[in-house]
Short mmCIF file of all heavy atoms in Angstrom, two decimals:
data_model
loop_
_atom_site.label_atom_id
_atom_site.label_comp_id
_atom_site.label_asym_id
_atom_site.label_seq_id
_atom_site.Cartn_x
_atom_site.Cartn_y
_atom_site.Cartn_z
N GLU S 1 0.84 12.94 -2.86
CA GLU S 1 0.15 12.40 -4.00
C GLU S 1 0.94 12.62 -5.28
O GLU S 1 0.96 11.74 -6.15
CB GLU S 1 -1.24 13.02 -4.12
CG GLU S 1 -2.20 12.56 -3.04
CD GLU S 1 -3.57 13.19 -3.17
OE1 GLU S 1 -3.80 14.00 -4.08
OE2 GLU S 1 -4.41 12.85 -2.34
N LYS S 2 1.60 13.76 -5.39
CA LYS S 2 2.36 14.07 -6.60
C LYS S 2 3.50 13.08 -6.80
O LYS S 2 3.74 12.64 -7.93
CB LYS S 2 2.90 15.50 -6.52
CG LYS S 2 3.83 15.87 -7.66
CD LYS S 2 3.25 16.96 -8.49
CE LYS S 2 4.20 17.46 -9.54
NZ LYS S 2 4.47 16.52 -10.60
N LEU S 3 4.19 12.71 -5.74
CA LEU S 3 5.28 11.74 -5.86
C LEU S 3 4.77 10.38 -6.34
O LEU S 3 5.43 9.71 -7.13
CB LEU S 3 6.02 11.59 -4.53
CG LEU S 3 6.80 12.81 -4.08
CD1 LEU S 3 7.35 12.59 -2.68
CD2 LEU S 3 7.92 13.11 -5.05
N PHE S 4 3.60 10.00 -5.88
CA PHE S 4 3.02 8.74 -6.35
C PHE S 4 2.63 8.85 -7.82
O PHE S 4 2.89 7.95 -8.61
CB PHE S 4 1.81 8.36 -5.50
CG PHE S 4 2.19 7.73 -4.19
CD1 PHE S 4 2.48 8.52 -3.09
CD2 PHE S 4 2.26 6.36 -4.05
CE1 PHE S 4 2.84 7.96 -1.88
CE2 PHE S 4 2.61 5.78 -2.84
CZ PHE S 4 2.91 6.60 -1.76
N GLU S 5 2.03 9.97 -8.20
CA GLU S 5 1.67 10.17 -9.60
C GLU S 5 2.90 10.16 -10.49
O GLU S 5 2.88 9.55 -11.57
CB GLU S 5 0.94 11.50 -9.76
CG GLU S 5 -0.46 11.51 -9.20
CD GLU S 5 -1.11 12.88 -9.25
OE1 GLU S 5 -0.57 13.78 -9.93
OE2 GLU S 5 -2.15 13.06 -8.61
N ASP S 6 3.97 10.81 -10.04
CA ASP S 6 5.21 10.84 -10.82
C ASP S 6 5.82 9.45 -10.98
O ASP S 6 6.54 9.20 -11.94
CB ASP S 6 6.22 11.79 -10.19
CG ASP S 6 5.80 13.25 -10.30
OD1 ASP S 6 4.88 13.56 -11.10
OD2 ASP S 6 6.38 14.08 -9.58
N ALA S 7 5.53 8.56 -10.03
CA ALA S 7 6.03 7.18 -10.11
C ALA S 7 5.05 6.28 -10.87
O ALA S 7 5.26 5.07 -10.96
CB ALA S 7 6.26 6.63 -8.70
N GLY S 8 3.97 6.88 -11.41
CA GLY S 8 2.99 6.11 -12.17
C GLY S 8 2.00 5.37 -11.30
O GLY S 8 1.39 4.39 -11.73
N LEU S 9 1.82 5.84 -10.06
CA LEU S 9 0.93 5.18 -9.11
C LEU S 9 -0.18 6.13 -8.68
O LEU S 9 -0.04 7.35 -8.75
CB LEU S 9 1.72 4.74 -7.88
CG LEU S 9 2.90 3.82 -8.13
CD1 LEU S 9 3.73 3.68 -6.87
CD2 LEU S 9 2.44 2.48 -8.63
N LYS S 10 -1.27 5.54 -8.21
CA LYS S 10 -2.37 6.33 -7.67
C LYS S 10 -2.48 6.06 -6.18
O LYS S 10 -2.54 4.91 -5.75
CB LYS S 10 -3.68 5.97 -8.37
CG LYS S 10 -4.83 6.78 -7.85
CD LYS S 10 -6.13 6.46 -8.54
CE LYS S 10 -7.21 7.32 -7.90
NZ LYS S 10 -8.51 7.06 -8.43
N LEU S 11 -2.50 7.14 -5.39
CA LEU S 11 -2.61 7.04 -3.94
C LEU S 11 -4.02 7.41 -3.51
O LEU S 11 -4.58 8.40 -3.97
CB LEU S 11 -1.60 7.98 -3.25
CG LEU S 11 -1.69 8.09 -1.74
CD1 LEU S 11 -1.32 6.77 -1.07
CD2 LEU S 11 -0.80 9.22 -1.24
N SER S 12 -4.57 6.61 -2.62
CA SER S 12 -5.89 6.88 -2.06
C SER S 12 -5.80 6.79 -0.55
O SER S 12 -5.27 5.81 -0.01
CB SER S 12 -6.88 5.84 -2.59
OG SER S 12 -8.12 5.93 -1.90
N ILE S 13 -6.30 7.81 0.15
CA ILE S 13 -6.32 7.80 1.61
C ILE S 13 -7.76 7.98 2.06
O ILE S 13 -8.41 8.96 1.69
CB ILE S 13 -5.43 8.90 2.21
CG1 ILE S 13 -3.98 8.72 1.76
CG2 ILE S 13 -5.53 8.89 3.74
CD1 ILE S 13 -3.04 9.81 2.22
N LYS S 14 -8.25 7.02 2.84
CA LYS S 14 -9.64 7.04 3.29
C LYS S 14 -9.72 6.84 4.79
O LYS S 14 -8.94 6.09 5.37
CB LYS S 14 -10.44 5.94 2.58
CG LYS S 14 -10.51 6.14 1.09
CD LYS S 14 -11.32 5.05 0.44
CE LYS S 14 -11.35 5.28 -1.06
NZ LYS S 14 -12.06 4.23 -1.76
N HIS S 15 -10.69 7.51 5.40
CA HIS S 15 -10.94 7.37 6.83
C HIS S 15 -11.78 6.12 7.07
O HIS S 15 -12.81 5.93 6.43
CB HIS S 15 -11.66 8.61 7.35
CG HIS S 15 -11.80 8.62 8.83
ND1 HIS S 15 -12.85 9.22 9.46
CD2 HIS S 15 -11.01 8.13 9.81
CE1 HIS S 15 -12.72 9.09 10.76
NE2 HIS S 15 -11.61 8.43 11.00
N ASN S 16 -11.35 5.26 7.97
CA ASN S 16 -12.10 4.08 8.35
C ASN S 16 -12.79 4.38 9.67
O ASN S 16 -12.15 4.40 10.73
CB ASN S 16 -11.17 2.88 8.48
CG ASN S 16 -11.91 1.60 8.78
OD1 ASN S 16 -12.87 1.59 9.53
ND2 ASN S 16 -11.43 0.50 8.19
N LEU S 17 -14.09 4.65 9.61
CA LEU S 17 -14.83 5.04 10.81
C LEU S 17 -14.95 3.91 11.83
O LEU S 17 -14.96 4.17 13.04
CB LEU S 17 -16.23 5.52 10.41
CG LEU S 17 -16.26 6.79 9.56
CD1 LEU S 17 -17.68 7.05 9.07
CD2 LEU S 17 -15.74 7.96 10.35
N ILE S 18 -15.01 2.69 11.36
CA ILE S 18 -15.18 1.55 12.27
C ILE S 18 -13.97 1.42 13.20
O ILE S 18 -14.11 1.21 14.40
CB ILE S 18 -15.41 0.24 11.49
CG1 ILE S 18 -16.74 0.32 10.75
CG2 ILE S 18 -15.38 -0.96 12.42
CD1 ILE S 18 -16.99 -0.83 9.79
N PHE S 19 -12.76 1.55 12.64
CA PHE S 19 -11.54 1.38 13.43
C PHE S 19 -10.88 2.71 13.79
O PHE S 19 -9.82 2.73 14.39
CB PHE S 19 -10.54 0.49 12.67
CG PHE S 19 -11.04 -0.90 12.46
CD1 PHE S 19 -11.44 -1.32 11.20
CD2 PHE S 19 -11.15 -1.79 13.51
CE1 PHE S 19 -11.91 -2.60 10.99
CE2 PHE S 19 -11.62 -3.07 13.32
CZ PHE S 19 -12.01 -3.48 12.06
N ASN S 20 -11.50 3.82 13.40
CA ASN S 20 -10.99 5.17 13.69
C ASN S 20 -9.53 5.32 13.28
O ASN S 20 -8.66 5.67 14.08
CB ASN S 20 -11.18 5.52 15.16
CG ASN S 20 -10.96 7.00 15.40
OD1 ASN S 20 -11.18 7.82 14.50
ND2 ASN S 20 -10.51 7.36 16.59
N CYS S 21 -9.25 5.00 12.02
CA CYS S 21 -7.91 5.12 11.48
C CYS S 21 -8.02 5.55 10.02
O CYS S 21 -9.11 5.69 9.49
CB CYS S 21 -7.14 3.81 11.61
SG CYS S 21 -7.84 2.46 10.64
N TYR S 22 -6.88 5.75 9.40
CA TYR S 22 -6.83 6.13 7.98
C TYR S 22 -6.08 5.06 7.21
O TYR S 22 -5.03 4.60 7.64
CB TYR S 22 -6.17 7.49 7.81
CG TYR S 22 -7.06 8.61 8.27
CD1 TYR S 22 -7.19 8.91 9.62
CD2 TYR S 22 -7.80 9.34 7.35
CE1 TYR S 22 -8.03 9.92 10.05
CE2 TYR S 22 -8.64 10.36 7.78
CZ TYR S 22 -8.75 10.64 9.12
OH TYR S 22 -9.59 11.64 9.54
N HIS S 23 -6.63 4.68 6.09
CA HIS S 23 -6.10 3.62 5.24
C HIS S 23 -5.57 4.25 3.96
O HIS S 23 -6.32 4.90 3.24
CB HIS S 23 -7.22 2.63 4.93
CG HIS S 23 -6.81 1.54 4.01
ND1 HIS S 23 -7.28 1.46 2.72
CD2 HIS S 23 -5.97 0.49 4.17
CE1 HIS S 23 -6.76 0.41 2.14
NE2 HIS S 23 -5.96 -0.20 2.99
N ALA S 24 -4.28 4.10 3.72
CA ALA S 24 -3.67 4.59 2.49
C ALA S 24 -3.35 3.39 1.62
O ALA S 24 -2.76 2.41 2.08
CB ALA S 24 -2.40 5.38 2.79
N ALA S 25 -3.76 3.47 0.35
CA ALA S 25 -3.48 2.39 -0.59
C ALA S 25 -2.99 3.00 -1.89
O ALA S 25 -3.42 4.09 -2.28
CB ALA S 25 -4.74 1.57 -0.84
N TRP S 26 -2.08 2.29 -2.56
CA TRP S 26 -1.59 2.77 -3.84
C TRP S 26 -1.41 1.59 -4.78
O TRP S 26 -1.22 0.46 -4.35
CB TRP S 26 -0.27 3.53 -3.68
CG TRP S 26 0.82 2.71 -3.09
CD1 TRP S 26 1.77 2.00 -3.78
CD2 TRP S 26 1.08 2.47 -1.72
NE1 TRP S 26 2.60 1.34 -2.89
CE2 TRP S 26 2.20 1.61 -1.62
CE3 TRP S 26 0.47 2.88 -0.54
CZ2 TRP S 26 2.70 1.19 -0.41
CZ3 TRP S 26 0.98 2.45 0.67
CH2 TRP S 26 2.09 1.62 0.73
N SER S 27 -1.50 1.87 -6.06
CA SER S 27 -1.30 0.83 -7.07
C SER S 27 -1.06 1.49 -8.41
O SER S 27 -1.35 2.68 -8.60
CB SER S 27 -2.51 -0.10 -7.15
OG SER S 27 -3.64 0.61 -7.60
N ASP S 28 -0.54 0.71 -9.34
CA ASP S 28 -0.39 1.21 -10.70
C ASP S 28 -1.65 0.83 -11.48
O ASP S 28 -2.55 0.17 -10.96
CB ASP S 28 0.88 0.68 -11.37
CG ASP S 28 0.88 -0.82 -11.57
OD1 ASP S 28 -0.07 -1.50 -11.13
OD2 ASP S 28 1.83 -1.31 -12.18
N ARG S 29 -1.71 1.25 -12.70
CA ARG S 29 -2.90 0.99 -13.51
C ARG S 29 -3.13 -0.49 -13.76
O ARG S 29 -4.26 -0.94 -13.92
CB ARG S 29 -2.79 1.74 -14.83
CG ARG S 29 -2.88 3.23 -14.65
CD ARG S 29 -2.86 3.94 -15.99
NE ARG S 29 -2.94 5.37 -15.78
CZ ARG S 29 -1.90 6.18 -15.76
NH1 ARG S 29 -0.68 5.70 -15.94
NH2 ARG S 29 -2.05 7.47 -15.56
N ASP S 30 -2.07 -1.27 -13.81
CA ASP S 30 -2.17 -2.70 -14.09
C ASP S 30 -2.26 -3.56 -12.83
O ASP S 30 -2.30 -4.78 -12.91
CB ASP S 30 -0.97 -3.16 -14.92
CG ASP S 30 -0.87 -2.43 -16.24
OD1 ASP S 30 -1.93 -2.10 -16.80
OD2 ASP S 30 0.26 -2.18 -16.69
N SER S 31 -2.27 -2.91 -11.66
CA SER S 31 -2.31 -3.61 -10.36
C SER S 31 -1.17 -4.62 -10.22
O SER S 31 -1.35 -5.73 -9.72
CB SER S 31 -3.66 -4.29 -10.15
OG SER S 31 -4.68 -3.33 -10.11
N THR S 32 0.02 -4.23 -10.66
CA THR S 32 1.20 -5.07 -10.52
C THR S 32 1.50 -5.26 -9.03
O THR S 32 1.58 -4.28 -8.30
CB THR S 32 2.40 -4.41 -11.22
OG1 THR S 32 2.04 -4.11 -12.56
CG2 THR S 32 3.62 -5.30 -11.18
N PRO S 33 1.65 -6.50 -8.55
CA PRO S 33 1.83 -6.74 -7.12
C PRO S 33 2.97 -5.96 -6.47
O PRO S 33 2.82 -5.45 -5.37
CB PRO S 33 2.07 -8.24 -7.04
CG PRO S 33 1.44 -8.79 -8.26
CD PRO S 33 1.61 -7.74 -9.31
N HIS S 34 4.14 -5.86 -7.13
CA HIS S 34 5.26 -5.16 -6.49
C HIS S 34 5.13 -3.65 -6.59
O HIS S 34 5.94 -2.92 -6.05
CB HIS S 34 6.60 -5.64 -7.05
CG HIS S 34 6.90 -5.16 -8.43
ND1 HIS S 34 6.46 -5.81 -9.55
CD2 HIS S 34 7.58 -4.06 -8.86
CE1 HIS S 34 6.86 -5.15 -10.62
NE2 HIS S 34 7.53 -4.10 -10.23
N CYS S 35 4.08 -3.16 -7.25
CA CYS S 35 3.85 -1.71 -7.37
C CYS S 35 2.59 -1.29 -6.64
O CYS S 35 1.97 -0.28 -6.98
CB CYS S 35 3.75 -1.31 -8.84
SG CYS S 35 5.32 -1.39 -9.70
N SER S 36 2.18 -2.05 -5.64
CA SER S 36 1.00 -1.69 -4.88
C SER S 36 1.27 -1.94 -3.41
O SER S 36 2.18 -2.67 -3.05
CB SER S 36 -0.21 -2.49 -5.35
OG SER S 36 -0.03 -3.86 -5.12
N GLY S 37 0.47 -1.30 -2.58
CA GLY S 37 0.64 -1.51 -1.16
C GLY S 37 -0.43 -0.80 -0.36
O GLY S 37 -1.27 -0.08 -0.91
N THR S 38 -0.38 -0.99 0.93
CA THR S 38 -1.36 -0.40 1.82
C THR S 38 -0.73 -0.20 3.20
O THR S 38 0.12 -1.00 3.61
CB THR S 38 -2.62 -1.29 1.90
OG1 THR S 38 -3.59 -0.66 2.71
CG2 THR S 38 -2.31 -2.66 2.41
N VAL S 39 -1.11 0.86 3.86
CA VAL S 39 -0.66 1.15 5.22
C VAL S 39 -1.82 1.77 6.00
O VAL S 39 -2.78 2.25 5.42
CB VAL S 39 0.56 2.10 5.27
CG1 VAL S 39 1.80 1.46 4.68
CG2 VAL S 39 0.25 3.41 4.56
N ILE S 40 -1.69 1.76 7.32
CA ILE S 40 -2.69 2.33 8.21
C ILE S 40 -2.01 3.38 9.08
O ILE S 40 -0.88 3.20 9.52
CB ILE S 40 -3.29 1.24 9.12
CG1 ILE S 40 -3.95 0.14 8.30
CG2 ILE S 40 -4.26 1.84 10.12
CD1 ILE S 40 -5.16 0.55 7.52
N GLY S 41 -2.71 4.49 9.33
CA GLY S 41 -2.19 5.53 10.21
C GLY S 41 -3.29 6.07 11.11
O GLY S 41 -4.48 5.90 10.83
N ALA S 42 -2.89 6.75 12.17
CA ALA S 42 -3.85 7.32 13.11
C ALA S 42 -4.55 8.55 12.52
O ALA S 42 -5.66 8.88 12.91
CB ALA S 42 -3.15 7.70 14.41
N CYS S 43 -3.89 9.23 11.58
CA CYS S 43 -4.48 10.38 10.90
C CYS S 43 -4.07 10.30 9.43
O CYS S 43 -3.23 9.50 9.05
CB CYS S 43 -4.04 11.69 11.53
SG CYS S 43 -2.27 12.03 11.36
N ASP S 44 -4.67 11.15 8.61
CA ASP S 44 -4.37 11.09 7.18
C ASP S 44 -2.91 11.42 6.89
O ASP S 44 -2.28 10.81 6.03
CB ASP S 44 -5.31 11.96 6.36
CG ASP S 44 -5.27 13.43 6.76
OD1 ASP S 44 -4.80 13.76 7.87
OD2 ASP S 44 -5.72 14.26 5.94
N ARG S 45 -2.33 12.34 7.63
CA ARG S 45 -0.93 12.70 7.41
C ARG S 45 0.00 11.55 7.77
O ARG S 45 0.99 11.30 7.10
CB ARG S 45 -0.55 13.94 8.22
CG ARG S 45 -1.15 15.20 7.66
CD ARG S 45 -0.70 16.39 8.45
NE ARG S 45 -1.22 17.61 7.85
CZ ARG S 45 -0.92 18.81 8.27
NH1 ARG S 45 -0.11 18.96 9.31
NH2 ARG S 45 -1.44 19.86 7.68
N GLU S 46 -0.29 10.87 8.87
CA GLU S 46 0.53 9.73 9.27
C GLU S 46 0.45 8.62 8.23
O GLU S 46 1.47 8.03 7.86
CB GLU S 46 0.07 9.20 10.62
CG GLU S 46 0.93 8.07 11.15
CD GLU S 46 0.50 7.64 12.54
OE1 GLU S 46 -0.41 6.77 12.63
OE2 GLU S 46 1.05 8.18 13.51
N ALA S 47 -0.73 8.34 7.72
CA ALA S 47 -0.89 7.33 6.68
C ALA S 47 -0.10 7.73 5.43
O ALA S 47 0.54 6.90 4.80
CB ALA S 47 -2.36 7.12 6.35
N ALA S 48 -0.12 9.02 5.09
CA ALA S 48 0.62 9.50 3.92
C ALA S 48 2.12 9.34 4.12
O ALA S 48 2.84 8.95 3.19
CB ALA S 48 0.27 10.96 3.64
N VAL S 49 2.62 9.63 5.32
CA VAL S 49 4.05 9.49 5.61
C VAL S 49 4.47 8.02 5.52
O VAL S 49 5.50 7.70 4.93
CB VAL S 49 4.40 10.08 7.00
CG1 VAL S 49 5.80 9.67 7.43
CG2 VAL S 49 4.27 11.59 6.97
N TYR S 50 3.66 7.13 6.08
CA TYR S 50 3.97 5.70 6.00
C TYR S 50 3.96 5.24 4.54
O TYR S 50 4.80 4.44 4.13
CB TYR S 50 2.98 4.88 6.81
CG TYR S 50 3.09 5.03 8.31
CD1 TYR S 50 2.01 4.74 9.14
CD2 TYR S 50 4.27 5.44 8.92
CE1 TYR S 50 2.11 4.85 10.52
CE2 TYR S 50 4.37 5.57 10.29
CZ TYR S 50 3.28 5.27 11.08
OH TYR S 50 3.38 5.39 12.44
N ALA S 51 2.98 5.72 3.78
CA ALA S 51 2.90 5.35 2.36
C ALA S 51 4.14 5.84 1.61
O ALA S 51 4.71 5.12 0.78
CB ALA S 51 1.63 5.92 1.74
N LEU S 52 4.57 7.07 1.89
CA LEU S 52 5.76 7.61 1.23
C LEU S 52 7.00 6.79 1.60
O LEU S 52 7.84 6.52 0.75
CB LEU S 52 5.96 9.08 1.60
CG LEU S 52 7.17 9.76 0.98
CD1 LEU S 52 7.13 9.69 -0.55
CD2 LEU S 52 7.25 11.21 1.45
N ALA S 53 7.10 6.38 2.86
CA ALA S 53 8.24 5.55 3.27
C ALA S 53 8.24 4.23 2.50
O ALA S 53 9.30 3.77 2.06
CB ALA S 53 8.18 5.28 4.77
N GLN S 54 7.07 3.64 2.31
CA GLN S 54 6.98 2.40 1.54
C GLN S 54 7.32 2.63 0.07
O GLN S 54 7.98 1.81 -0.55
CB GLN S 54 5.57 1.81 1.65
CG GLN S 54 5.24 1.30 3.03
CD GLN S 54 6.08 0.11 3.41
OE1 GLN S 54 6.24 -0.81 2.63
NE2 GLN S 54 6.62 0.11 4.62
N LEU S 55 6.89 3.78 -0.48
CA LEU S 55 7.22 4.11 -1.86
C LEU S 55 8.73 4.25 -2.03
O LEU S 55 9.30 3.74 -3.00
CB LEU S 55 6.53 5.41 -2.29
CG LEU S 55 6.84 5.90 -3.70
CD1 LEU S 55 6.32 4.91 -4.75
CD2 LEU S 55 6.25 7.28 -3.92
N ARG S 56 9.38 4.91 -1.09
CA ARG S 56 10.84 5.05 -1.16
C ARG S 56 11.53 3.70 -1.09
O ARG S 56 12.48 3.42 -1.82
CB ARG S 56 11.33 5.95 -0.04
CG ARG S 56 10.97 7.39 -0.25
CD ARG S 56 11.44 8.23 0.89
NE ARG S 56 11.18 9.63 0.64
CZ ARG S 56 11.30 10.57 1.54
NH1 ARG S 56 11.71 10.27 2.76
NH2 ARG S 56 11.04 11.82 1.24
N GLN S 57 11.05 2.84 -0.20
CA GLN S 57 11.63 1.50 -0.09
C GLN S 57 11.40 0.71 -1.37
O GLN S 57 12.30 0.02 -1.85
CB GLN S 57 11.04 0.76 1.11
CG GLN S 57 11.68 -0.60 1.33
CD GLN S 57 11.11 -1.29 2.55
OE1 GLN S 57 9.93 -1.16 2.86
NE2 GLN S 57 11.95 -2.04 3.23
N MET S 58 10.20 0.80 -1.92
CA MET S 58 9.88 0.13 -3.17
C MET S 58 10.79 0.64 -4.30
O MET S 58 11.27 -0.13 -5.11
CB MET S 58 8.41 0.37 -3.52
CG MET S 58 7.91 -0.40 -4.72
SD MET S 58 6.11 -0.25 -4.94
CE MET S 58 5.90 1.51 -5.08
N HIS S 59 11.04 1.94 -4.30
CA HIS S 59 11.91 2.56 -5.30
C HIS S 59 13.32 1.96 -5.20
O HIS S 59 13.93 1.62 -6.20
CB HIS S 59 11.96 4.07 -5.10
CG HIS S 59 12.99 4.76 -5.92
ND1 HIS S 59 12.86 4.92 -7.28
CD2 HIS S 59 14.16 5.33 -5.57
CE1 HIS S 59 13.93 5.56 -7.73
NE2 HIS S 59 14.72 5.82 -6.72
N GLU S 60 13.83 1.83 -3.99
CA GLU S 60 15.17 1.28 -3.78
C GLU S 60 15.24 -0.20 -4.16
O GLU S 60 16.22 -0.64 -4.75
CB GLU S 60 15.59 1.47 -2.33
CG GLU S 60 15.83 2.92 -1.97
CD GLU S 60 16.10 3.12 -0.49
OE1 GLU S 60 16.23 2.12 0.25
OE2 GLU S 60 16.16 4.28 -0.07
N LEU S 61 14.21 -0.96 -3.83
CA LEU S 61 14.23 -2.39 -4.08
C LEU S 61 14.00 -2.74 -5.56
O LEU S 61 14.58 -3.69 -6.07
CB LEU S 61 13.17 -3.09 -3.24
CG LEU S 61 13.40 -3.09 -1.74
CD1 LEU S 61 12.20 -3.71 -1.03
CD2 LEU S 61 14.67 -3.84 -1.39
N HIS S 62 13.17 -1.98 -6.22
CA HIS S 62 12.79 -2.32 -7.59
C HIS S 62 13.29 -1.32 -8.62
O HIS S 62 12.98 -1.45 -9.79
CB HIS S 62 11.27 -2.44 -7.70
CG HIS S 62 10.73 -3.52 -6.83
ND1 HIS S 62 10.88 -4.86 -7.12
CD2 HIS S 62 10.06 -3.47 -5.66
CE1 HIS S 62 10.31 -5.57 -6.17
NE2 HIS S 62 9.82 -4.76 -5.26
N HIS S 63 14.05 -0.33 -8.16
CA HIS S 63 14.65 0.65 -9.05
C HIS S 63 13.63 1.30 -9.99
O HIS S 63 13.82 1.35 -11.19
CB HIS S 63 15.80 0.04 -9.86
CG HIS S 63 16.82 -0.61 -9.00
ND1 HIS S 63 17.66 0.12 -8.18
CD2 HIS S 63 17.11 -1.91 -8.78
CE1 HIS S 63 18.43 -0.72 -7.52
NE2 HIS S 63 18.12 -1.95 -7.86
N ILE S 64 12.52 1.74 -9.40
CA ILE S 64 11.50 2.43 -10.20
C ILE S 64 12.11 3.71 -10.72
O ILE S 64 12.68 4.50 -9.97
CB ILE S 64 10.25 2.74 -9.35
CG1 ILE S 64 9.59 1.44 -8.93
CG2 ILE S 64 9.28 3.63 -10.13
CD1 ILE S 64 8.48 1.64 -7.93
N GLN S 65 12.01 3.94 -12.00
CA GLN S 65 12.59 5.11 -12.62
C GLN S 65 11.61 6.27 -12.54
O GLN S 65 10.57 6.27 -13.19
CB GLN S 65 12.94 4.82 -14.09
CG GLN S 65 13.96 3.72 -14.25
CD GLN S 65 15.27 4.04 -13.56
OE1 GLN S 65 15.76 5.17 -13.64
NE2 GLN S 65 15.83 3.07 -12.88
N SER S 66 11.91 7.25 -11.71
CA SER S 66 11.09 8.43 -11.58
C SER S 66 11.97 9.60 -11.18
O SER S 66 12.56 9.58 -10.11
CB SER S 66 9.99 8.23 -10.53
OG SER S 66 9.32 9.44 -10.30
N PRO S 67 12.07 10.63 -12.01
CA PRO S 67 12.90 11.77 -11.66
C PRO S 67 12.46 12.43 -10.35
O PRO S 67 13.28 12.90 -9.58
CB PRO S 67 12.70 12.74 -12.83
CG PRO S 67 12.19 11.91 -13.95
CD PRO S 67 11.47 10.75 -13.32
N ALA S 68 11.18 12.42 -10.05
CA ALA S 68 10.68 13.06 -8.84
C ALA S 68 11.21 12.37 -7.59
O ALA S 68 11.38 13.01 -6.55
CB ALA S 68 9.16 13.08 -8.83
N MET S 69 11.43 11.05 -7.64
CA MET S 69 11.90 10.33 -6.46
C MET S 69 13.30 10.76 -6.06
O MET S 69 13.67 10.66 -4.90
CB MET S 69 11.86 8.83 -6.71
CG MET S 69 10.46 8.26 -6.71
SD MET S 69 9.51 8.65 -5.23
CE MET S 69 10.51 7.90 -3.98
N ALA S 70 14.07 11.27 -6.97
CA ALA S 70 15.42 11.75 -6.63
C ALA S 70 15.34 12.92 -5.66
O ALA S 70 16.21 13.10 -4.82
CB ALA S 70 16.16 12.17 -7.89
N TYR S 71 14.27 13.69 -5.72
CA TYR S 71 14.11 14.85 -4.86
C TYR S 71 13.34 14.51 -3.60
O TYR S 71 13.24 15.31 -2.69
CB TYR S 71 13.38 15.97 -5.60
CG TYR S 71 14.14 16.42 -6.83
CD1 TYR S 71 13.70 16.09 -8.11
CD2 TYR S 71 15.32 17.13 -6.70
CE1 TYR S 71 14.40 16.49 -9.22
CE2 TYR S 71 16.04 17.53 -7.82
CZ TYR S 71 15.57 17.20 -9.08
OH TYR S 71 16.27 17.59 -10.18
N ALA S 72 12.77 13.31 -3.50
CA ALA S 72 11.96 12.94 -2.35
C ALA S 72 12.80 12.48 -1.18
O ALA S 72 12.30 12.32 -0.09
CB ALA S 72 10.98 11.82 -2.75
N HIS S 73 14.08 12.24 -1.37
CA HIS S 73 14.93 11.72 -0.29
C HIS S 73 15.41 12.80 0.61
O HIS S 73 15.63 13.86 0.39
CB HIS S 73 16.13 10.95 -0.86
CG HIS S 73 15.70 9.73 -1.59
ND1 HIS S 73 15.26 8.60 -0.95
CD2 HIS S 73 15.61 9.48 -2.92
CE1 HIS S 73 14.94 7.70 -1.85
NE2 HIS S 73 15.14 8.21 -3.06
#
């Protein structure tokens, strides 16, 4: 969560009881399309790892400036 906050994003992870999975979603305050995303995992940790992988990819593709991301690799 801290890495998302440092990138100016909010991460939310919720359990979906119907499908027995965890849904991770993130976005910036303005809901900019290239700064938001969603992933599904079997557990909350898996969803968080997938979300972090997407954040890293987003960082590389869009060159998001965040000092914390330098340490996340």
Side-chain angles (χ1 to χ4, degrees):
E1 289 180 359
K2 174 115 174 69
L3 292 174
F4 281 85
E5 288 174 13
D6 291 345
L9 303 169
K10 181 179 179 183
L11 174 66
S12 171
I13 300 176
K14 296 181 181 177
H15 187 211
N16 184 322
L17 295 172
I18 295 172
F19 296 108
N20 193 28
C21 64
Y22 287 79
H23 177 250
W26 60 94
S27 65
D28 65 356
R29 291 184 180 97
D30 300 326
S31 298
T32 306
H34 73 274
C35 289
S36 64
T38 184
V39 293
I40 301 294
C43 65
D44 59 341
R45 288 182 177 185
E46 183 176 88
V49 168
Y50 290 158
L52 180 58
Q54 292 293 314
L55 178 65
R56 288 179 176 169
Q57 184 178 35
M58 187 172 58
H59 170 72
E60 291 174 7
L61 293 175
H62 298 287
H63 306 290
I64 295 172
Q65 299 300 317
S66 173
M69 286 307 299
Y71 300 107
H73 295 285

